[in-house]
Amino acid sequence: MPRTADHDARRRQIAAAVVGVVAADGFDAATVARVAAEAGVSVGLVQHYFASKDELLLFAYQQVTGDIGDRVAQLIADGDARRQPISVVVAASLAELLPLDERRRGEYRVARAFLGRALDNPSLASVARATAADLRGRLSAAVTNGKECGEVAPGVDAELAATRLAALVDGLGDQLYLEPQRRVGSRDLPAVARRTLGEALAETFTGECRHYR
Amino acid sequence: MPRTADHDARRRQIAAAVVGVVAADGFDAATVARVAAEAGVSVGLVQHYFASKDELLLFAYQQVTGDIGDRVAQLIADGDARRQPISVVVAASLAELLPLDERRRGEYRVARAFLGRALDNPSLASVARATAADLRGRLSAAVTNGKECGEVAPGVDAELAATRLAALVDGLGDQLYLEPQRRVGSRDLPAVARRTLGEALAETFTGECRHYR
DNA sequence: TCCATAGCCATATAGTCGTACGGTTTTGGG
DNA sequence: CCCAAAACCGTACGACTATATGGCTATGGA
């Protein structure tokens, strides 16, 4: 066998370069040549690892959404380990998705850029659908768990609540991204977003966990 | 003076062609040549009326958001004329913004496509900001009017409620666009979206108008 | 009637992009 | 040691694109 390389690592490296370029200069700046330069490799190497630019973009998008999902999963695991109430864990998870600081703002920009292209790219659209379904699944599971432990009233429809929370965090994210400095009455928008999410959660998580108090 | 033409009408005609192309085949399909063909004019004429492609896209975006705004204003005027409760008028206005049929779906697609490009185009971003502010302004005014006539409790913060409603309709629109066929429990997503919006409105518009009953 | 000028068009131009292609370099196994 | 095959590179090609340019056409006013 000839010389070997870590195939997956190279693909991730190149995908990371895509994300870097999109975050820095927007989706249109993510040309193959620019991505190769950002990754410190040649155009030929990018072609060696990705059959087409579309495949590259798809992989990069999956990478981004996967990374975000992993961080949310980590937040949930941490919250569970610390035996925090479900509503608190969910609040932290949703806040992670909002563009509240430069890091999350960059990530949001990338995610939204891909979502915009998903409008006319079926492959990207299916990733977007899967990502959204994943978030709603986690939220739905959280509500269901809440019903079991007493934080949520028995009659609540978990899927409905999840859909509503997902929509709210989505819309708040858009507003935060577009006008991070906006003021709403005496508060700034980030505070309003947190508060609004908190209120929405309080409407669903109305009780206390009976397992530990 | 030489021959004359209706300058504004021509610009609107070309802008309408942009919208048609974006709705049909996505933002990337909106090349100058394609837009000219769609409008039934030459490339040169497009250049005659727009100094650059960016200016054309900006004008088209303003056209789209303006049209939507006009329709919402019309719905509000109609509702007022029929002396409908504010909550009903607001519900109809927000539903108009959701991709609930093919017409609104096409419009949503166009609006979202422009919003996606606004991520790295300051001119488009400012239109997006103005559009969002306009919607929130209308919602805020509706809540304030509601407080005056008794549909809304006195303590409610109109701007806060408007921000929340705008976020919700935005997020619901995204979900509807991406998965119009999705089922949530026993209902389909369009029904769930209407219901969710209705519930959110019911939380703000808790009373009845004391002026006419 | 005439012509300046806006309306309108076809084509040329300069540049960018994705990808194809031919090449060199490296290295694991025989 | 050797060599096949993978890793990797630079460049050329073909397809588009936005825009510049020059010219033709029609008409309102003098």
Side-chain angles (χ1 to χ4, degrees):
Chain A
M1 296 250 170
R3 83 202 257 203
T4 59
D6 189 334
H7 209 78
D8 281 343
R10 269 277 194 251
R11 280 171 67 94
R12 280 193 305 263
Q13 173 196 355
I14 296 169
V18 172
V19 175
V21 172
V22 173
D25 292 329
F27 200 93
D28 287 334
T31 67
V32 174
R34 175 77 190 279
V35 167
E38 181 90 3
V41 301
S42 69
V43 171
L45 196 71
V46 174
Q47 296 182 261
H48 185 68
Y49 283 100
F50 295 95
S52 69
K53 189 185 176 182
D54 273 357
E55 194 201 316
L56 167 59
L57 292 177
L58 180 64
F59 184 81
Y61 190 23
Q62 289 171 326
Q63 194 82 355
V64 169
T65 59
D67 287 352
I68 297 174
D70 289 349
R71 279 217 318 280
V72 169
Q74 188 60 46
L75 281 173
I76 293 174
D78 288 356
D80 283 357
R82 292 182 198 172
R83 299 184 158 267
Q84 291 175 327
I86 297 174
S87 62
V88 171
V89 177
V90 172
S93 300
L94 293 183
E96 178 68 27
L97 302 177
L98 292 176
L100 288 167
D101 55 29
E102 272 314 307
R103 176 181 62 81
R104 282 175 285 187
R105 210 176 146 71
E107 205 164 49
Y108 196 85
R109 177 184 167 87
V110 173
R112 278 283 152 176
F114 274 103
L115 190 59
R117 311 298 155 144
L119 286 173
D120 34 70
N121 184 327
S123 303
L124 295 182
S126 84
V127 174
R129 268 190 289 270
T131 306
D134 181 61
L135 173 63
R136 287 195 313 270
R138 288 182 201 277
L139 288 172
S140 182
V143 174
T144 302
N145 290 341
K147 284 160 79 170
E148 199 162 333
C149 89
E151 283 189 57
V152 178
V156 170
D157 182 328
E159 270 193 81
L160 203 67
T163 297
R164 178 195 161 103
L165 282 172
L168 197 59
V169 74
D170 185 10
L172 287 174
D174 266 8
Q175 290 191 38
L176 276 170
Y177 184 83
L178 224 47
E179 299 185 280
Q181 315 284 351
R182 202 178 103 215
R183 298 199 67 79
V184 182
S186 59
R187 286 182 287 268
D188 60 2
L189 191 53
V192 166
R194 288 177 186 279
R195 182 195 169 93
T196 301
L197 267 185
E199 285 172 357
L201 282 171
E203 283 166 24
T204 301
F205 293 83
T206 49
E208 281 191 20
C209 181
R210 73 173 74 87
H211 293 155
Y212 42 81
R213 186 173 302 184
Chain B
M1 295 248 167
R3 78 206 262 205
T4 58
D6 189 332
H7 208 78
D8 281 342
R10 269 279 194 247
R11 281 172 67 95
R12 279 191 310 249
Q13 173 194 356
I14 295 169
V18 172
V19 174
V21 171
V22 173
D25 293 328
F27 200 93
D28 287 334
T31 67
V32 174
R34 175 78 190 278
V35 167
E38 181 90 2
V41 300
S42 69
V43 172
L45 195 71
V46 174
Q47 295 184 99
H48 185 68
Y49 284 99
F50 295 96
S52 70
K53 188 183 178 182
D54 272 357
E55 194 201 318
L56 167 58
L57 293 177
L58 180 64
F59 184 80
Y61 190 23
Q62 289 170 327
Q63 195 81 355
V64 169
T65 59
D67 287 352
I68 297 174
D70 289 349
R71 281 217 318 282
V72 169
Q74 188 60 47
L75 281 172
I76 293 173
D78 288 356
D80 282 357
R82 292 183 197 173
R83 298 185 158 267
Q84 292 175 328
I86 297 175
S87 63
V88 171
V89 176
V90 171
S93 300
L94 293 182
E96 178 67 28
L97 302 177
L98 292 176
L100 288 167
D101 56 27
E102 273 314 308
R103 176 183 60 83
R104 282 175 283 187
R105 210 177 145 71
E107 205 164 49
Y108 195 86
R109 177 184 167 85
V110 173
R112 277 285 151 176
F114 275 103
L115 190 59
R117 311 297 154 144
L119 287 171
D120 35 71
N121 183 326
S123 303
L124 295 182
S126 83
V127 174
R129 267 190 290 271
T131 306
D134 181 61
L135 173 63
R136 286 195 313 271
R138 287 181 200 278
L139 288 172
S140 181
V143 173
T144 301
N145 290 341
K147 284 160 79 170
E148 199 162 334
C149 88
E151 283 189 57
V152 178
V156 171
D157 182 329
E159 270 194 82
L160 202 68
T163 297
R164 177 194 163 106
L165 281 173
L168 196 60
V169 76
D170 185 12
L172 287 174
D174 266 9
Q175 290 191 38
L176 275 171
Y177 184 84
L178 224 48
E179 299 185 281
Q181 315 285 351
R182 203 176 102 214
R183 298 199 66 78
V184 181
S186 59
R187 285 181 287 268
D188 60 2
L189 192 54
V192 166
R194 288 177 185 280
R195 182 194 169 93
T196 301
L197 268 185
E199 285 173 358
L201 282 172
E203 284 166 23
T204 301
F205 293 82
T206 49
E208 281 190 20
C209 181
R210 71 173 77 88
H211 293 154
Y212 42 82
R213 188 174 299 184

Short mmCIF file of all heavy atoms in Angstrom, two decimals, chain B residues 1-3 30-33 43 47 52-53, chain D residues 16-21 25-29:
data_model
loop_
_atom_site.label_atom_id
_atom_site.label_comp_id
_atom_site.label_asym_id
_atom_site.label_seq_id
_atom_site.Cartn_x
_atom_site.Cartn_y
_atom_site.Cartn_z
N MET B 1 -37.96 67.49 -26.22
CA MET B 1 -37.63 66.24 -25.51
C MET B 1 -37.91 65.01 -26.38
O MET B 1 -38.83 65.03 -27.18
CB MET B 1 -38.47 66.14 -24.24
CG MET B 1 -38.14 67.23 -23.22
SD MET B 1 -37.39 66.59 -21.77
CE MET B 1 -36.80 68.13 -21.04
N PRO B 2 -37.13 63.99 -26.25
CA PRO B 2 -37.28 62.78 -27.07
C PRO B 2 -38.43 61.92 -26.56
O PRO B 2 -39.18 62.33 -25.69
CB PRO B 2 -35.95 62.07 -26.89
CG PRO B 2 -35.54 62.49 -25.53
CD PRO B 2 -36.04 63.87 -25.31
N ARG B 3 -38.52 60.76 -27.09
CA ARG B 3 -39.59 59.84 -26.70
C ARG B 3 -39.53 59.56 -25.21
O ARG B 3 -38.45 59.50 -24.61
CB ARG B 3 -39.51 58.54 -27.50
CG ARG B 3 -38.44 57.59 -27.01
CD ARG B 3 -37.97 56.67 -28.10
NE ARG B 3 -38.61 55.37 -28.05
CZ ARG B 3 -38.04 54.28 -28.57
NH1 ARG B 3 -36.85 54.34 -29.15
NH2 ARG B 3 -38.66 53.14 -28.52
N ALA B 30 -31.25 34.28 -10.78
CA ALA B 30 -31.58 35.66 -11.15
C ALA B 30 -30.37 36.39 -11.72
O ALA B 30 -29.87 37.36 -11.14
CB ALA B 30 -32.14 36.40 -9.93
N THR B 31 -29.89 35.95 -12.87
CA THR B 31 -28.84 36.68 -13.57
C THR B 31 -29.50 37.81 -14.35
O THR B 31 -30.70 37.79 -14.61
CB THR B 31 -28.09 35.77 -14.54
OG1 THR B 31 -28.98 35.37 -15.59
CG2 THR B 31 -27.57 34.52 -13.85
N VAL B 32 -28.69 38.76 -14.73
CA VAL B 32 -29.24 39.90 -15.47
C VAL B 32 -29.88 39.43 -16.78
O VAL B 32 -30.99 39.85 -17.13
CB VAL B 32 -28.13 40.93 -15.77
CG1 VAL B 32 -28.67 42.04 -16.66
CG2 VAL B 32 -27.60 41.51 -14.47
N ALA B 33 -29.20 38.51 -17.45
CA ALA B 33 -29.73 38.01 -18.72
C ALA B 33 -31.07 37.30 -18.52
O ALA B 33 -32.02 37.52 -19.28
CB ALA B 33 -28.72 37.06 -19.36
N VAL B 43 -30.98 42.88 -22.26
CA VAL B 43 -30.06 43.11 -21.16
C VAL B 43 -29.74 44.61 -21.06
O VAL B 43 -29.66 45.18 -19.96
CB VAL B 43 -28.76 42.31 -21.38
CG1 VAL B 43 -27.71 42.70 -20.36
CG2 VAL B 43 -29.04 40.81 -21.29
N GLN B 47 -29.94 47.44 -17.90
CA GLN B 47 -28.84 48.33 -17.51
C GLN B 47 -29.25 49.79 -17.60
O GLN B 47 -28.77 50.62 -16.83
CB GLN B 47 -27.64 48.09 -18.42
CG GLN B 47 -27.04 46.73 -18.28
CD GLN B 47 -25.78 46.58 -19.12
OE1 GLN B 47 -24.67 46.69 -18.65
NE2 GLN B 47 -25.97 46.34 -20.40
N SER B 52 -26.64 49.04 -11.54
CA SER B 52 -25.90 47.80 -11.27
C SER B 52 -26.87 46.72 -10.85
O SER B 52 -28.04 46.99 -10.55
CB SER B 52 -24.88 48.02 -10.15
OG SER B 52 -25.55 48.20 -8.93
N LYS B 53 -26.40 45.52 -10.83
CA LYS B 53 -27.24 44.41 -10.42
C LYS B 53 -27.65 44.55 -8.95
O LYS B 53 -28.78 44.24 -8.57
CB LYS B 53 -26.51 43.09 -10.64
CG LYS B 53 -27.42 41.90 -10.40
CD LYS B 53 -26.70 40.58 -10.53
CE LYS B 53 -27.66 39.45 -10.22
NZ LYS B 53 -26.99 38.14 -10.30
P DC D 16 -23.10 27.20 -19.50
OP1 DC D 16 -23.97 26.32 -18.70
OP2 DC D 16 -23.15 27.21 -21.00
"O5'" DC D 16 -23.34 28.68 -19.02
"C5'" DC D 16 -22.22 29.54 -18.80
"C4'" DC D 16 -22.32 30.12 -17.40
"O4'" DC D 16 -20.99 30.50 -17.00
"C3'" DC D 16 -23.17 31.38 -17.38
"O3'" DC D 16 -23.86 31.54 -16.16
"C2'" DC D 16 -22.17 32.50 -17.60
"C1'" DC D 16 -20.85 31.92 -17.08
N1 DC D 16 -19.75 32.27 -18.02
C2 DC D 16 -18.65 32.99 -17.55
O2 DC D 16 -18.61 33.29 -16.36
N3 DC D 16 -17.67 33.35 -18.41
C4 DC D 16 -17.76 33.00 -19.70
N4 DC D 16 -16.76 33.38 -20.51
C5 DC D 16 -18.87 32.26 -20.20
C6 DC D 16 -19.84 31.91 -19.34
P DT D 17 -25.05 32.61 -16.12
OP1 DT D 17 -26.07 32.01 -15.28
OP2 DT D 17 -25.35 33.03 -17.51
"O5'" DT D 17 -24.44 33.88 -15.39
"C5'" DT D 17 -23.30 33.75 -14.54
"C4'" DT D 17 -22.73 35.11 -14.20
"O4'" DT D 17 -21.49 35.26 -14.90
"C3'" DT D 17 -23.60 36.29 -14.60
"O3'" DT D 17 -24.11 36.93 -13.45
"C2'" DT D 17 -22.68 37.21 -15.39
"C1'" DT D 17 -21.34 36.55 -15.41
N1 DT D 17 -20.77 36.43 -16.79
C2 DT D 17 -19.60 37.08 -17.08
O2 DT D 17 -19.00 37.74 -16.26
N3 DT D 17 -19.17 36.93 -18.37
C4 DT D 17 -19.79 36.20 -19.38
O4 DT D 17 -19.31 36.14 -20.50
C5 DT D 17 -21.01 35.55 -18.99
C7 DT D 17 -21.76 34.74 -20.00
C6 DT D 17 -21.45 35.70 -17.73
P DA D 18 -25.06 38.22 -13.64
OP1 DA D 18 -25.88 38.29 -12.42
OP2 DA D 18 -25.71 38.14 -14.96
"O5'" DA D 18 -24.06 39.46 -13.63
"C5'" DA D 18 -23.27 39.72 -12.48
"C4'" DA D 18 -22.37 40.90 -12.73
"O4'" DA D 18 -21.55 40.63 -13.90
"C3'" DA D 18 -23.09 42.21 -13.02
"O3'" DA D 18 -22.38 43.27 -12.39
"C2'" DA D 18 -23.07 42.31 -14.54
"C1'" DA D 18 -21.76 41.61 -14.90
N9 DA D 18 -21.80 40.92 -16.19
C8 DA D 18 -22.77 40.08 -16.65
N7 DA D 18 -22.55 39.58 -17.85
C5 DA D 18 -21.33 40.14 -18.20
C6 DA D 18 -20.53 40.02 -19.35
N6 DA D 18 -20.86 39.26 -20.41
N1 DA D 18 -19.37 40.71 -19.39
C2 DA D 18 -19.04 41.46 -18.34
N3 DA D 18 -19.70 41.66 -17.20
C4 DA D 18 -20.85 40.96 -17.19
P DT D 19 -23.00 44.72 -12.39
OP1 DT D 19 -22.55 45.40 -11.16
OP2 DT D 19 -24.42 44.65 -12.72
"O5'" DT D 19 -22.23 45.38 -13.62
"C5'" DT D 19 -20.81 45.27 -13.68
"C4'" DT D 19 -20.30 45.70 -15.04
"O4'" DT D 19 -20.60 44.70 -16.05
"C3'" DT D 19 -20.88 47.02 -15.58
"O3'" DT D 19 -19.79 47.85 -15.93
"C2'" DT D 19 -21.67 46.58 -16.81
"C1'" DT D 19 -20.85 45.38 -17.25
N1 DT D 19 -21.54 44.44 -18.18
C2 DT D 19 -20.93 44.11 -19.37
O2 DT D 19 -19.85 44.56 -19.71
N3 DT D 19 -21.63 43.25 -20.16
C4 DT D 19 -22.87 42.68 -19.90
O4 DT D 19 -23.39 41.91 -20.69
C5 DT D 19 -23.46 43.06 -18.63
C7 DT D 19 -24.79 42.51 -18.24
C6 DT D 19 -22.77 43.91 -17.84
P DA D 20 -20.02 49.41 -16.17
OP1 DA D 20 -19.44 50.11 -15.02
OP2 DA D 20 -21.43 49.64 -16.55
"O5'" DA D 20 -19.09 49.66 -17.44
"C5'" DA D 20 -18.02 48.76 -17.68
"C4'" DA D 20 -17.55 48.86 -19.12
"O4'" DA D 20 -18.25 47.89 -19.94
"C3'" DA D 20 -17.78 50.22 -19.79
"O3'" DA D 20 -16.68 50.52 -20.63
"C2'" DA D 20 -19.08 50.00 -20.56
"C1'" DA D 20 -18.96 48.54 -20.97
N9 DA D 20 -20.25 47.84 -21.07
C8 DA D 20 -21.24 47.81 -20.13
N7 DA D 20 -22.29 47.09 -20.47
C5 DA D 20 -21.95 46.61 -21.73
C6 DA D 20 -22.64 45.78 -22.64
N6 DA D 20 -23.86 45.27 -22.41
N1 DA D 20 -22.03 45.50 -23.81
C2 DA D 20 -20.82 46.01 -24.05
N3 DA D 20 -20.07 46.80 -23.27
C4 DA D 20 -20.71 47.06 -22.12
P DT D 21 -16.61 51.97 -21.37
OP1 DT D 21 -15.18 52.31 -21.43
OP2 DT D 21 -17.58 52.88 -20.72
"O5'" DT D 21 -17.12 51.65 -22.84
"C5'" DT D 21 -16.79 50.40 -23.43
"C4'" DT D 21 -17.41 50.29 -24.81
"O4'" DT D 21 -18.63 49.52 -24.73
"C3'" DT D 21 -17.79 51.63 -25.45
"O3'" DT D 21 -17.34 51.63 -26.79
"C2'" DT D 21 -19.30 51.67 -25.36
"C1'" DT D 21 -19.62 50.17 -25.49
N1 DT D 21 -20.94 49.76 -24.95
C2 DT D 21 -21.70 48.83 -25.64
O2 DT D 21 -21.32 48.31 -26.67
N3 DT D 21 -22.90 48.52 -25.06
C4 DT D 21 -23.42 49.05 -23.88
O4 DT D 21 -24.52 48.70 -23.45
C5 DT D 21 -22.59 50.02 -23.22
C7 DT D 21 -23.07 50.65 -21.96
C6 DT D 21 -21.40 50.34 -23.78
P DT D 25 -32.67 51.26 -37.19
OP1 DT D 25 -33.40 50.10 -37.75
OP2 DT D 25 -32.22 52.37 -38.07
"O5'" DT D 25 -33.53 51.86 -36.02
"C5'" DT D 25 -33.94 51.00 -34.95
"C4'" DT D 25 -34.99 51.70 -34.13
"O4'" DT D 25 -34.36 52.64 -33.21
"C3'" DT D 25 -36.00 52.53 -34.94
"O3'" DT D 25 -37.26 52.36 -34.32
"C2'" DT D 25 -35.47 53.95 -34.78
"C1'" DT D 25 -34.95 53.91 -33.34
N1 DT D 25 -33.92 54.91 -32.97
C2 DT D 25 -34.06 55.58 -31.79
O2 DT D 25 -34.98 55.41 -31.02
N3 DT D 25 -33.05 56.49 -31.52
C4 DT D 25 -31.96 56.76 -32.31
O4 DT D 25 -31.12 57.60 -31.97
C5 DT D 25 -31.88 56.03 -33.54
C7 DT D 25 -30.74 56.26 -34.47
C6 DT D 25 -32.86 55.14 -33.81
P DA D 26 -38.59 52.58 -35.15
OP1 DA D 26 -39.40 51.35 -35.12
OP2 DA D 26 -38.25 53.24 -36.44
"O5'" DA D 26 -39.31 53.65 -34.22
"C5'" DA D 26 -39.47 53.33 -32.85
"C4'" DA D 26 -39.57 54.60 -32.04
"O4'" DA D 26 -38.31 55.31 -32.10
"C3'" DA D 26 -40.64 55.60 -32.51
"O3'" DA D 26 -41.35 56.01 -31.37
"C2'" DA D 26 -39.82 56.75 -33.11
"C1'" DA D 26 -38.58 56.69 -32.24
N9 DA D 26 -37.36 57.28 -32.81
C8 DA D 26 -36.83 57.07 -34.05
N7 DA D 26 -35.71 57.73 -34.26
C5 DA D 26 -35.50 58.42 -33.08
C6 DA D 26 -34.48 59.29 -32.66
N6 DA D 26 -33.45 59.63 -33.43
N1 DA D 26 -34.58 59.81 -31.41
C2 DA D 26 -35.62 59.45 -30.65
N3 DA D 26 -36.63 58.64 -30.94
C4 DA D 26 -36.51 58.15 -32.17
P DT D 27 -42.88 56.49 -31.53
OP1 DT D 27 -43.69 55.70 -30.58
OP2 DT D 27 -43.22 56.53 -32.97
"O5'" DT D 27 -42.80 57.98 -30.98
"C5'" DT D 27 -42.29 58.21 -29.67
"C4'" DT D 27 -41.79 59.63 -29.52
"O4'" DT D 27 -40.53 59.81 -30.22
"C3'" DT D 27 -42.73 60.71 -30.09
"O3'" DT D 27 -42.83 61.74 -29.15
"C2'" DT D 27 -41.98 61.19 -31.33
"C1'" DT D 27 -40.56 61.09 -30.80
N1 DT D 27 -39.49 61.15 -31.83
C2 DT D 27 -38.36 61.88 -31.57
O2 DT D 27 -38.19 62.47 -30.53
N3 DT D 27 -37.43 61.88 -32.58
C4 DT D 27 -37.52 61.24 -33.81
O4 DT D 27 -36.62 61.31 -34.62
C5 DT D 27 -38.74 60.49 -34.01
C7 DT D 27 -38.95 59.77 -35.30
C6 DT D 27 -39.67 60.48 -33.04
P DG D 28 -44.29 61.89 -28.37
OP1 DG D 28 -44.48 60.76 -27.44
OP2 DG D 28 -45.30 62.20 -29.39
"O5'" DG D 28 -43.98 63.21 -27.53
"C5'" DG D 28 -43.00 63.16 -26.49
"C4'" DG D 28 -42.20 64.45 -26.45
"O4'" DG D 28 -41.27 64.52 -27.57
"C3'" DG D 28 -43.03 65.73 -26.52
"O3'" DG D 28 -42.43 66.71 -25.68
"C2'" DG D 28 -42.93 66.13 -27.99
"C1'" DG D 28 -41.52 65.68 -28.36
N9 DG D 28 -41.36 65.27 -29.75
C8 DG D 28 -42.25 64.56 -30.51
N7 DG D 28 -41.81 64.32 -31.72
C5 DG D 28 -40.54 64.90 -31.75
C6 DG D 28 -39.59 64.95 -32.80
O6 DG D 28 -39.68 64.47 -33.93
N1 DG D 28 -38.44 65.63 -32.39
C2 DG D 28 -38.24 66.18 -31.16
N2 DG D 28 -37.08 66.79 -30.98
N3 DG D 28 -39.12 66.15 -30.18
C4 DG D 28 -40.25 65.48 -30.53
P DG D 29 -43.22 67.99 -25.29
OP1 DG D 29 -42.97 68.24 -23.87
OP2 DG D 29 -44.59 67.91 -25.82
"O5'" DG D 29 -42.42 69.09 -26.14
"C5'" DG D 29 -41.21 69.62 -25.61
"C4'" DG D 29 -40.38 70.24 -26.71
"O4'" DG D 29 -40.45 69.42 -27.91
"C3'" DG D 29 -40.83 71.65 -27.14
"O3'" DG D 29 -39.68 72.46 -27.25
"C2'" DG D 29 -41.49 71.41 -28.50
"C1'" DG D 29 -40.62 70.27 -29.03
N9 DG D 29 -41.22 69.48 -30.09
C8 DG D 29 -42.46 68.89 -30.12
N7 DG D 29 -42.70 68.22 -31.22
C5 DG D 29 -41.54 68.39 -31.97
C6 DG D 29 -41.21 67.90 -33.25
O6 DG D 29 -41.89 67.19 -34.00
N1 DG D 29 -39.92 68.29 -33.64
C2 DG D 29 -39.07 69.05 -32.88
N2 DG D 29 -37.88 69.32 -33.39
N3 DG D 29 -39.37 69.52 -31.67
C4 DG D 29 -40.62 69.15 -31.29
#
